[in-house]
Amino acid sequence: MEKTAPPERPKNLCQVADYLLSPQSGVKKRDGVFNDSRVIYFRGKGAVNALLKDEFRATAVGKEIGELTRESAAQLLGSMIPHQFFLKVERPSDPEMPKNMLQLVQYQSFGEDGIFVWRYEGSQLRTHLMAGLLLLIVLAGVMFPLWPVPLRLGVWYLSVGVLILLGLFFAMAIVRLILFVITWVVLKPGVWIFPNLFEDVGFVDSFIPLWGWHEPEAPVEKKSTKKIQAGEEAQAEVETQVISEEVAEKVTKRRPMVEDAADEDVL
């Protein structure tokens, strides 16, 4: 049985899908698993909000469509389902299954509360260009023996320069560690050369300042379990004392009973 090809997608709906897939739309993309493959899904409410933004009105397709309301935006997104831009899915009802596992909904319709899986991947021009560039780099590396002699010498000098820079970097890291150990023994808390060398900063900021004192981490205060237990026991004792005093006060203030009168007559 031959598989039927998906219906031809209109150009204006493709432009709407490209906008929704772009970071400009602000639609949150979530990763899921659908039919044993990794997919990207979104919520209908986020897509409707994206079509109501001024950014969409400024696009060519937004100007062509005109002003949209929440109802008309939902209708526009619903018209994209027959063209298989996205499909409506749902999470499994079994609580033991992962939340990112998605199942196809039998009746396909658009709603703001629904979850939809992208089937449209957009323009593949950038992917094809990157693949072609990677192929050219691999071919250039394989054909390195056929390169002109000056070009091969230039690559050799460049590789040697990179190796020298890496060697200097590792040597500097070892020297600063040795100096820190010496200063930590002689003059605590120790001195670091280029203290920001391995910090998450820019390249220039990694070498500023030239040196700095070692800043030990502040110790984390931990409450001992014995103190906590002692405090709980003291609180329990106070509660029992309060309860016993209240009970005693009630007993002393209670009205005389018939049994008490009978005991007094006997005496």
Side-chain angles (χ1 to χ4, degrees):
M1 184 177 180
E2 296 181 357
K3 295 182 179 180
T4 58
E8 185 178 356
R9 290 163 173 161
K11 183 179 179 181
N12 60 341
L13 295 183
C14 290
Q15 294 175 349
V16 173
D18 291 334
Y19 167 76
L20 293 175
L21 286 170
S22 65
Q24 185 181 6
S25 66
V27 178
K28 293 183 179 180
K29 301 176 183 177
R30 298 174 173 87
D31 295 330
V33 178
F34 178 69
N35 287 342
D36 297 332
S37 60
R38 197 171 189 83
V39 294
I40 298 174
Y41 68 95
F42 65 95
R43 292 189 176 275
K45 184 177 181 180
V48 173
N49 293 335
L51 295 182
L52 299 179
K53 289 184 176 180
D54 295 335
E55 290 80 357
F56 178 71
R57 299 191 189 97
T59 60
V61 64
K63 295 177 181 178
E64 179 183 351
I65 295 174
E67 191 72 20
L68 290 174
T69 61
R70 298 198 72 87
E71 292 76 11
S72 58
Q75 292 177 0
L76 176 61
L77 293 169
S79 65
M80 299 173 67
I81 294 179
H83 299 282
Q84 297 184 10
F85 283 94
F86 43 80
L87 298 175
K88 188 175 183 179
V89 294
E90 63 181 358
R91 294 190 175 93
S93 58
D94 189 357
E96 297 181 357
M97 297 184 66
K99 293 183 179 180
N100 61 346
M101 296 290 294
L102 304 173
Q103 297 175 349
L104 185 66
V105 176
Q106 184 176 2
Y107 300 101
Q108 293 290 312
S109 62
F110 185 83
E112 293 191 22
D113 298 334
I115 301 174
F116 302 89
V117 171
W118 278 110
R119 308 299 290 172
Y120 175 74
E121 298 179 354
S123 178
Q124 299 298 310
L125 178 61
R126 182 179 179 181
T127 303
H128 295 159
L129 291 177
M130 295 297 293
L133 180 61
L134 180 61
L135 181 60
L136 290 177
I137 293 174
V138 172
L139 289 176
V142 172
M143 299 176 65
F144 180 76
L146 301 179
W147 288 15
V149 176
L151 191 59
R152 282 187 289 172
L153 285 176
V155 173
W156 185 81
Y157 286 131
L158 181 62
S159 60
V160 171
V162 171
L163 290 175
I164 291 174
L165 289 177
L166 288 176
L168 290 175
F169 179 80
F170 285 111
M172 180 175 58
I174 295 173
V175 169
R176 71 190 290 270
L177 179 61
I178 294 173
L179 290 176
F180 169 72
V181 173
I182 294 173
T183 55
W184 183 78
V185 174
V186 177
L187 188 62
K188 289 185 178 182
V191 176
W192 282 109
I193 303 298
F194 302 123
N196 294 329
L197 185 62
F198 295 104
E199 298 295 332
D200 187 12
V201 294
F203 177 78
V204 178
D205 295 333
S206 299
F207 300 95
I208 299 174
L210 179 62
W211 67 277
W213 292 101
H214 175 65
E215 297 179 359
E217 297 181 357
V220 180
E221 296 181 358
K222 296 182 179 180
K223 296 182 179 179
S224 61
T225 56
K226 293 183 179 179
K227 292 183 179 179
I228 296 175
Q229 292 177 356
E232 293 178 352
E233 292 176 356
Q235 185 177 1
E237 291 179 358
V238 172
E239 291 178 355
T240 53
Q241 289 177 2
V242 172
I243 293 172
S244 60
E245 290 177 358
E246 291 178 355
V247 172
E249 186 177 357
K250 289 181 179 179
V251 170
T252 55
K253 291 183 178 180
R254 69 184 180 90
R255 296 180 178 178
M257 306 297 291
V258 177
E259 291 79 358
D260 298 337
D263 294 338
E264 291 177 358
D265 293 340
V266 172
L267 294 174

